[in-house]
Amino acid sequence: MGNRDRIAQAFVTARRQAAGLSPYPGDAPTTLAEAYAIQDRAIALDGRQVVGWKVGRINAPLDGQLGANRLAGPIFADQVVGGEVQDMGVIADGFAAAEAEYCVRIGRSPAPGRTGLSLGKALELVDAVHVGIEIASSPYAGINVDGPLVTISDYGNNFGLLIGAEVPGWRDLSFIDWPVESRIDGVVVGQASARTMLDGPIGAVAFLVDCLAARGIVLAPGTWVSSGAVTGVHQVAPGQRFEADFDAMRVACGIVAAGGSTPTVGTPAQAGGQG
């Protein structure tokens, strides 16, 4: 078994078991192409339906070294849930965090071969924006410490997406200036607005079109884009509660240890509500 297959299989198995994994199961990727090749191999081995993509930021100076300021990872159908879900699972023996995120739903695919979209053209692909929480969890506790290439190799560190209510009037993009506050057990752990997120949630869509096209993947209608942590990546543990206020809108969940699966509520479209 080659290095790529060994890494992919190890992560798929550990995620199915919700078990910790140490050390990193192979020679860590050294290029974006190799990192995404491991991710693509894991998706194929996993077999679950991909219904969304998380987008995360690559910070300086690594963004300049790698030639990318964002990364992407798959979100599976059984890990997309609606705001009525009370608890979200994490891999307790690995890495676990919660992030306040705007969840963007794609209404139509970009034209075949079309990349390098302006924000205006990317916005035309969108048919809903919701508030939400991304659960970032990996079997490998060092996933973030070891850098973005290792993060990419394990699904971009995604383990679930809780989609709350739709943002009213989202098409005018005024929500990017909304104050967002994250709390763990009632204690404020982060405050910011989407204005601080590179070129914002719609910029995340433009990036994703290019990232997927390079891998031969089309951004399909109905796909969710978890567009990036607004207030930061906040580490959590089972037994804690995470809350995020987006101006006057709130989304929250308890954190529990996953037992090899996460709660499912309806289809992704139902989980997100009407757009």
mmCIF file of all heavy atoms in Angstrom, residues 8 14 16 64 66 77 87 103 106 133 136 156-157 166 177 190-191 214 217:
data_model
loop_
_atom_site.group_PDB
_atom_site.id
_atom_site.type_symbol
_atom_site.label_atom_id
_atom_site.label_comp_id
_atom_site.label_asym_id
_atom_site.label_seq_id
_atom_site.Cartn_x
_atom_site.Cartn_y
_atom_site.Cartn_z
ATOM 1 N N ALA A 8 -4.925 7.813 3.790
ATOM 2 C CA ALA A 8 -6.365 7.927 3.577
ATOM 3 C C ALA A 8 -7.126 6.846 4.328
ATOM 4 O O ALA A 8 -8.122 7.119 5.007
ATOM 5 C CB ALA A 8 -6.672 7.865 2.086
ATOM 6 N N ALA A 14 -10.298 5.563 11.351
ATOM 7 C CA ALA A 14 -10.366 6.235 12.655
ATOM 8 C C ALA A 14 -11.623 7.066 12.782
ATOM 9 O O ALA A 14 -12.244 7.114 13.854
ATOM 10 C CB ALA A 14 -9.123 7.097 12.852
ATOM 11 N N ARG A 16 -14.513 6.514 11.257
ATOM 12 C CA ARG A 16 -15.648 5.597 11.431
ATOM 13 C C ARG A 16 -15.773 5.135 12.875
ATOM 14 O O ARG A 16 -16.873 4.929 13.388
ATOM 15 C CB ARG A 16 -15.488 4.396 10.494
ATOM 16 C CG ARG A 16 -15.784 4.698 9.037
ATOM 17 C CD ARG A 16 -15.443 3.518 8.154
ATOM 18 N NE ARG A 16 -15.776 3.779 6.751
ATOM 19 C CZ ARG A 16 -15.343 3.054 5.721
ATOM 20 N NH1 ARG A 16 -14.569 1.996 5.950
ATOM 21 N NH2 ARG A 16 -15.698 3.368 4.495
ATOM 22 N N GLY A 64 1.662 32.505 1.389
ATOM 23 C CA GLY A 64 2.591 32.877 0.336
ATOM 24 C C GLY A 64 3.432 31.711 -0.145
ATOM 25 O O GLY A 64 3.689 31.562 -1.342
ATOM 26 N N LEU A 66 2.612 28.497 -0.085
ATOM 27 C CA LEU A 66 1.797 27.498 -0.777
ATOM 28 C C LEU A 66 1.062 28.051 -1.986
ATOM 29 O O LEU A 66 0.575 27.293 -2.827
ATOM 30 C CB LEU A 66 0.777 26.901 0.204
ATOM 31 C CG LEU A 66 1.363 26.105 1.367
ATOM 32 C CD1 LEU A 66 0.262 25.707 2.341
ATOM 33 C CD2 LEU A 66 2.101 24.867 0.866
ATOM 34 N N ALA A 77 -23.249 13.950 3.966
ATOM 35 C CA ALA A 77 -24.693 14.100 4.154
ATOM 36 C C ALA A 77 -25.142 13.768 5.569
ATOM 37 O O ALA A 77 -26.021 14.428 6.122
ATOM 38 C CB ALA A 77 -25.441 13.218 3.149
ATOM 39 N N ASP A 87 -27.176 18.527 20.182
ATOM 40 C CA ASP A 87 -25.777 18.174 20.426
ATOM 41 C C ASP A 87 -25.067 17.826 19.124
ATOM 42 O O ASP A 87 -25.667 17.270 18.201
ATOM 43 C CB ASP A 87 -25.675 16.974 21.371
ATOM 44 C CG ASP A 87 -26.259 17.251 22.749
ATOM 45 O OD1 ASP A 87 -26.013 18.351 23.273
ATOM 46 O OD2 ASP A 87 -26.959 16.376 23.275
ATOM 47 N N CYS A 103 -23.200 29.795 6.452
ATOM 48 C CA CYS A 103 -23.381 28.632 5.582
ATOM 49 C C CYS A 103 -24.073 29.086 4.298
ATOM 50 O O CYS A 103 -25.206 29.581 4.338
ATOM 51 C CB CYS A 103 -24.218 27.574 6.292
ATOM 52 S SG CYS A 103 -23.571 27.088 7.906
ATOM 53 N N ILE A 106 -25.489 26.732 -2.585
ATOM 54 C CA ILE A 106 -25.327 26.973 -4.017
ATOM 55 C C ILE A 106 -26.633 26.675 -4.737
ATOM 56 O O ILE A 106 -27.240 25.625 -4.546
ATOM 57 C CB ILE A 106 -24.193 26.089 -4.577
ATOM 58 C CG1 ILE A 106 -22.876 26.412 -3.863
ATOM 59 C CG2 ILE A 106 -24.048 26.282 -6.085
ATOM 60 C CD1 ILE A 106 -22.436 27.852 -3.950
ATOM 61 N N ILE A 133 -22.857 26.580 12.691
ATOM 62 C CA ILE A 133 -21.682 26.170 13.458
ATOM 63 C C ILE A 133 -21.009 25.028 12.713
ATOM 64 O O ILE A 133 -21.651 24.019 12.403
ATOM 65 C CB ILE A 133 -22.052 25.698 14.874
ATOM 66 C CG1 ILE A 133 -22.657 26.843 15.696
ATOM 67 C CG2 ILE A 133 -20.834 25.109 15.598
ATOM 68 C CD1 ILE A 133 -23.257 26.384 17.016
ATOM 69 N N ALA A 136 -15.177 21.240 13.845
ATOM 70 C CA ALA A 136 -13.875 20.855 13.306
ATOM 71 C C ALA A 136 -13.289 19.812 14.241
ATOM 72 O O ALA A 136 -12.945 20.119 15.385
ATOM 73 C CB ALA A 136 -12.960 22.079 13.209
ATOM 74 N N GLY A 156 -9.968 18.441 5.671
ATOM 75 C CA GLY A 156 -9.972 19.837 6.082
ATOM 76 C C GLY A 156 -10.370 20.024 7.535
ATOM 77 O O GLY A 156 -10.691 21.129 7.948
ATOM 78 N N ASN A 157 -10.364 18.917 8.306
ATOM 79 C CA ASN A 157 -10.688 18.940 9.738
ATOM 80 C C ASN A 157 -12.182 19.109 9.995
ATOM 81 O O ASN A 157 -12.582 19.519 11.077
ATOM 82 C CB ASN A 157 -9.896 20.049 10.458
ATOM 83 C CG ASN A 157 -9.805 19.847 11.961
ATOM 84 O OD1 ASN A 157 -10.117 18.783 12.473
ATOM 85 N ND2 ASN A 157 -9.387 20.881 12.667
ATOM 86 N N GLU A 166 -32.051 31.227 8.144
ATOM 87 C CA GLU A 166 -31.579 31.995 6.997
ATOM 88 C C GLU A 166 -31.364 33.453 7.377
ATOM 89 O O GLU A 166 -32.149 34.044 8.140
ATOM 90 C CB GLU A 166 -32.575 31.910 5.838
ATOM 91 C CG GLU A 166 -32.079 32.617 4.574
ATOM 92 C CD GLU A 166 -32.976 32.381 3.369
ATOM 93 O OE1 GLU A 166 -34.060 31.777 3.541
ATOM 94 O OE2 GLU A 166 -32.595 32.795 2.266
ATOM 95 N N ASP A 177 -21.110 42.822 7.925
ATOM 96 C CA ASP A 177 -20.731 43.756 8.991
ATOM 97 C C ASP A 177 -21.422 43.459 10.314
ATOM 98 O O ASP A 177 -21.233 44.187 11.291
ATOM 99 C CB ASP A 177 -21.028 45.194 8.557
ATOM 100 C CG ASP A 177 -20.082 45.671 7.469
ATOM 101 O OD1 ASP A 177 -18.858 45.482 7.627
ATOM 102 O OD2 ASP A 177 -20.561 46.226 6.457
ATOM 103 N N GLY A 190 -14.593 34.741 21.397
ATOM 104 C CA GLY A 190 -14.242 35.409 20.153
ATOM 105 C C GLY A 190 -15.307 36.380 19.707
ATOM 106 O O GLY A 190 -16.502 36.148 19.906
ATOM 107 N N GLN A 191 -14.863 37.491 19.128
ATOM 108 C CA GLN A 191 -15.765 38.499 18.577
ATOM 109 C C GLN A 191 -15.149 39.043 17.292
ATOM 110 O O GLN A 191 -13.957 39.341 17.247
ATOM 111 C CB GLN A 191 -15.973 39.645 19.568
ATOM 112 C CG GLN A 191 -16.698 39.264 20.846
ATOM 113 C CD GLN A 191 -16.736 40.399 21.855
ATOM 114 O OE1 GLN A 191 -15.719 41.025 22.132
ATOM 115 N NE2 GLN A 191 -17.911 40.679 22.394
ATOM 116 N N ALA A 214 -9.996 22.352 -10.223
ATOM 117 C CA ALA A 214 -8.654 21.799 -10.390
ATOM 118 C C ALA A 214 -8.617 20.305 -10.083
ATOM 119 O O ALA A 214 -7.702 19.602 -10.517
ATOM 120 C CB ALA A 214 -7.669 22.538 -9.491
ATOM 121 N N ILE A 217 -13.977 18.464 -10.081
ATOM 122 C CA ILE A 217 -15.248 18.408 -9.356
ATOM 123 C C ILE A 217 -16.061 19.660 -9.664
ATOM 124 O O ILE A 217 -15.525 20.775 -9.637
ATOM 125 C CB ILE A 217 -15.018 18.305 -7.832
ATOM 126 C CG1 ILE A 217 -14.168 17.071 -7.500
ATOM 127 C CG2 ILE A 217 -16.345 18.252 -7.083
ATOM 128 C CD1 ILE A 217 -13.709 17.014 -6.058
#
